[in-house]
Amino acid sequence: MKKPYTSFVTGLLVGVALFSGTTAYAAGIMAERSTNRIFVDGKEVQVEAYTIHNNNFMQLRDVGKAVGFNVYWDSSNGCVQVESGKPYTGTAPQQTAAAPTDGSRYVPKVGDVIRCDDGTDYTITDVSRWDKNAFSSAPLGELPIATCDWSKLPQPEMPQAEARHFTSGGQDYLFQRNLYETRRMLYTLYNAIGDNPETWQNGQPVKFPSGNDKVKINLTIPADVTPQSFWPWRSEQITELFNSCPPGTYSLEAWDVYKNGVFQYTEYSIYVS
């Protein structure tokens, strides 16, 4: 018998019923162990099959093994998945995940495999701290809403998604840039600008006499400086710092930190110059 798989499956009416013994009876259907010989590419294979109403039924995974395609149970979607172009394993493939590049929220899950910038894969094994250590006593709510006209403020370019993988002291670390939480920092700073009379008056940002902006914003931090870092999230870390010295250049970043596959915390960093 030759491939393709479609002919094989259609011709034998492959089923997924399980029986024991040479004859089985269930739901009014009589099944007998099939005595038909089965060949794949001219070579006989041993596959357990049963005859029901003159049709041969066998487990789909047995067909996958014999013919050479993957079959597995997809628990996330509650269905059987067939991958015709991949060899049989019987198990669901690892899913490569990455933080969204559009700045939307990413919630890590056990089993996520993060493709790192160095070409390696990093598997997440524990996210029990996600709702606790990362966000204090509970998950964070939605992003801040505007209390001033944000369109009149600097519009820094969102950085690229990154996943930095490195080892130190025998420990395996992943730092994954969190663009969603970076936006939380940015919007909090926007509102702090709008709430401070030194930087916002009469519905407009206050500028220097030269016409230059009093506040500049970057969403990356230079590698050669030491920023202030904090976790879990506390908006006052940004607002109080801003109100202490409003004019300046503010650099913001947020990173999810993993150690040996275990989520540790979301680290927020800010640098003012």
Side-chain angles (χ1 to χ4, degrees):
M1 180 180 64
K2 301 291 184 181
K3 299 177 183 178
Y5 308 137
T6 305
S7 298
F8 182 87
V9 174
T10 303
L12 293 182
L13 296 177
V14 177
V16 293
L18 296 174
F19 302 98
S20 61
T22 58
T23 304
Y25 180 86
I29 300 176
M30 182 66 68
E32 296 182 349
R33 190 183 297 275
S34 175
T35 59
N36 293 319
R37 300 168 67 192
I38 299 175
F39 291 79
V40 176
D41 292 336
K43 182 179 179 181
E44 187 171 5
V45 295
Q46 300 300 316
V47 178
E48 185 174 359
Y50 286 83
T51 300
I52 303 176
H53 298 315
N54 296 320
N55 294 309
N56 288 304
F57 283 80
M58 62 195 69
Q59 293 186 68
L60 188 56
R61 64 168 178 254
D62 289 340
V63 179
K65 291 178 184 178
V67 177
F69 60 84
N70 195 26
V71 181
Y72 64 89
W73 173 250
D74 184 347
S75 58
S76 298
N77 296 304
C79 65
V80 174
Q81 294 281 3
V82 176
E83 297 178 306
S84 61
K86 297 182 179 180
Y88 178 82
T89 65
T91 58
Q94 289 185 319
Q95 298 297 315
T96 300
T101 58
D102 61 355
S104 57
R105 174 174 272 169
Y106 163 67
V107 179
K109 301 183 294 298
V110 171
D112 278 357
V113 180
I114 306 300
R115 177 55 56 88
C116 303
D117 294 348
D118 62 2
T120 61
D121 289 333
Y122 192 94
T123 302
I124 298 175
T125 60
D126 187 335
V127 294
S128 58
R129 299 182 183 181
W130 175 258
D131 288 345
K132 298 177 182 178
N133 191 291
F135 305 126
S136 189
S137 60
L140 289 174
E142 298 300 319
L143 295 177
I145 60 174
T147 58
C148 63
D149 188 349
W150 291 351
S151 67
K152 298 179 179 180
L153 295 171
Q155 303 295 313
E157 183 178 356
M158 188 66 66
Q160 297 294 317
E162 294 182 69
R164 301 177 181 176
H165 179 206
F166 66 94
T167 57
S168 178
Q171 309 300 319
D172 195 23
Y173 291 93
L174 173 71
F175 277 66
Q176 186 173 31
R177 189 183 290 276
N178 191 323
L179 298 179
Y180 186 84
E181 291 305 306
T182 299
R183 290 169 59 205
R184 187 183 302 278
M185 298 182 76
L186 173 63
Y187 298 165
T188 300
L189 179 59
Y190 277 165
N191 285 341
I193 295 172
D195 291 339
N196 192 307
E198 188 174 344
T199 53
W200 191 272
Q201 293 181 15
N202 302 318
Q204 300 288 335
V206 179
K207 296 181 180 292
F208 286 117
S210 62
N212 293 328
D213 292 328
K214 281 193 171 184
V215 179
K216 297 181 180 179
I217 305 173
N218 299 316
L219 298 184
T220 58
I221 296 177
D224 59 346
V225 303
T226 302
Q228 298 183 40
S229 297
F230 63 92
W231 63 85
W233 167 256
R234 297 184 299 278
S235 60
E236 60 270 20
Q237 291 283 342
I238 292 179
T239 57
E240 290 178 2
L241 176 63
F242 176 80
N243 290 328
S244 68
C245 53
T249 299
Y250 289 78
S251 300
L252 313 170
E253 287 186 344
W255 295 83
D256 291 339
V257 181
Y258 299 83
K259 177 182 177 181
N260 299 328
V262 180
F263 176 83
Q264 303 294 306
Y265 48 80
T266 297
E267 180 177 274
Y268 301 88
S269 297
I270 182 169
Y271 178 77
V272 185
S273 59

